[in-house]
Amino acid sequence: MAMVFSYSQLSRYLHCPRSYRYRYLDGWREKDTRAAMIFGRCFESAITAYFYEQDCTAVLFKEWGAHRDATFEYGKGDTWGKLLHQGMHLLHKFVQDDRICVKSPSKNLQLKITQSLPGGNEFLAYIDAIGELDGQRCLIDWKTTGSRYTEEPDGLLSLDPQLICYSWISGIPDVALVVFVRKHLPEIQYLRTSISEEQRQEFGRLVHSAVSQIAAGQFPPHSGIRFPANTCTSCSHLGLCLAKPQLIDAKLIRRPGASDLDWLDHFDD
Ligand code: SF4
C-alpha cells in the first residue's frame, strides 16, 4: 500500500523505529494536553492573521481563549494568562520589527509541497511561509519556545534537519527560522542559513533509506535511559515498552486507522 510520509514521521523513525510503529501503524497517539504545544498552534494562527491584515492579537485571544478552562500540563511557572501575556507581547514586537514580508499570503503561507518516492509513496511537507527576511527571499519556519535557540558556533543552523528537509522538498537553499521565545522579557530570534545541494541530496538518500526500512517492516527499539542516548525517559510510548497500563492510560489514546490522519502531522512541529 502506498504511504504518505512527513518530516515528523521520518524524525520519529530515526529517533526510535519502535516508537514509529506504535504511533503510525498501531495508532497510539499522545494525548494533546501539553499547553505549550497547543499555545504554539494558536500563536501561529495569529501570525497567519497578521499577514492577512487581520487583528492578530484578537485572533490569539480567541484561539487561546477557547482553551482557558482546559486541563493542560503547564511548564514550570506557566499559566494560561502568562502564556497569553507573552504571546501578546511577542505579536506586538513582531509587528514593530517588521522584518518579515510575505506577499500573496494565500499562496505563500502553509504551502503544501509533495515529492514522489519509490513504490508510489509520497513525502509531504507544509512549509510555514515563503517570503523575505530583511528583503532577502527565503523559506521561513516559525517556532514558539520557552528558551532561546543556540546560535553558536556560526553556521550551526545549517545542521537543523527540519530546515534541511524543507530545503530538500522545495529546492530553496535559503531558509530562516523565526523563533518566538516565551520568557520573562519575550524575544524574537531571526535566524538565517543556507542549505547546500550536497545536504539536500544526502537528505534525499536518508529519506529513501528510511522508507525502504519501513517498507521492510524493520522497527527495532532504539532504547536508552542514560545521557546522552536517553530516548526512553521522555518517550510517550514508554508505557507500551514497559507493559504498564497506567502509564499508557496517562499518556496515550489509541486511534485505529492512524494512516488516515497522516496529513495532520505538520501540526506536530
Ligand atoms: S520507550 Fe524507548 S524503546 Fe520504547 S518506543 Fe520509546 S524510545 Fe523506543
Side-chain angles (χ1 to χ4, degrees):
M1 188 181 74
M3 289 180 68
V4 179
F5 294 91
S6 66
Y7 174 74
S8 304
Q9 289 185 40
L10 177 75
S11 168
R12 187 181 290 263
Y13 186 80
L14 297 175
H15 192 64
C16 176
R18 180 62 49 88
S19 174
Y20 175 96
R21 196 192 80 189
Y22 288 143
R23 168 69 177 78
Y24 294 105
L25 301 187
D26 300 344
W28 290 103
R29 294 180 69 109
E30 293 92 345
K31 288 181 176 172
D32 270 355
T33 55
R34 291 164 290 172
M37 192 182 75
I38 307 291
F39 178 79
R41 291 179 193 167
C42 299
F43 189 83
E44 291 194 14
S45 297
I47 293 290
T48 299
Y50 164 73
F51 289 109
Y52 278 97
E53 299 182 357
Q54 296 167 1
D55 183 345
C56 54
T57 55
V59 169
L60 179 63
F61 190 78
K62 180 169 172 273
E63 297 267 327
W64 184 231
H67 303 289
R68 191 171 198 148
D69 301 319
T71 47
F72 287 154
E73 290 170 33
Y74 282 91
K76 196 166 171 244
D78 277 347
T79 61
W80 180 88
K82 188 170 173 187
L83 263 60
L84 177 68
H85 178 77
Q86 289 170 334
M88 292 294 184
H89 196 134
L90 284 165
L91 286 173
H92 284 300
K93 182 156 176 43
F94 185 63
V95 173
Q96 260 177 0
D97 289 350
D98 195 21
R99 293 179 62 182
I100 302 286
C101 173
V102 177
K103 292 177 183 143
S104 307
S106 60
K107 286 190 202 149
N108 291 317
L109 286 177
Q110 280 294 309
L111 283 94
K112 179 183 173 183
I113 306 183
T114 57
Q115 172 97 242
S116 298
L117 298 174
N121 297 313
E122 214 173 40
F123 199 99
L124 165 74
Y126 283 88
I127 308 292
D128 281 343
I130 293 178
E132 291 175 1
L133 166 58
D134 298 332
Q136 287 187 28
R137 184 175 184 268
C138 55
L139 181 153
I140 303 167
D141 193 40
W142 325 117
K143 291 280 178 233
T144 50
T145 169
S147 51
R148 297 183 91 251
Y149 275 37
T150 308
E151 295 182 51
E152 299 288 335
D154 190 31
L156 189 64
L157 190 68
S158 66
L159 299 181
D160 183 86
Q162 192 170 16
L163 291 177
I164 296 171
C165 172
Y166 290 170
S167 177
W168 165 72
I169 202 162
S170 68
I172 298 174
D174 295 317
V175 295
L177 205 52
V178 179
V179 187
F180 297 92
V181 191
R182 297 186 298 97
K183 53 180 190 170
H184 182 59
L185 278 179
E187 179 190 353
I188 304 175
Q189 293 175 280
Y190 297 89
L191 311 173
R192 191 209 315 265
T193 192
S194 284
I195 307 297
S196 68
E197 178 58 28
E198 187 186 355
Q199 283 178 290
R200 281 191 290 279
Q201 287 184 8
E202 278 177 344
F203 191 85
R205 288 194 285 275
L206 182 69
V207 170
H208 285 225
S209 141
V211 166
S212 61
Q213 286 170 48
I214 291 168
Q218 293 175 19
F219 303 107
H222 285 186
S223 64
I225 58 165
R226 298 184 207 173
F227 178 83
N230 46 354
T231 47
C232 300
T233 51
S234 60
C235 177
S236 53
H237 294 131
L238 183 62
L240 291 166
C241 283
L242 295 179
K244 300 265 186 208
Q246 276 182 328
L247 209 48
I248 296 169
D249 286 348
K251 294 275 181 195
L252 301 169
I253 47 171
R254 187 163 198 196
R255 294 191 187 179
S259 57
D260 296 336
L261 301 166
D262 287 343
W263 64 275
L264 285 170
D265 283 336
H266 66 288
F267 291 124
D268 290 349
D269 296 347

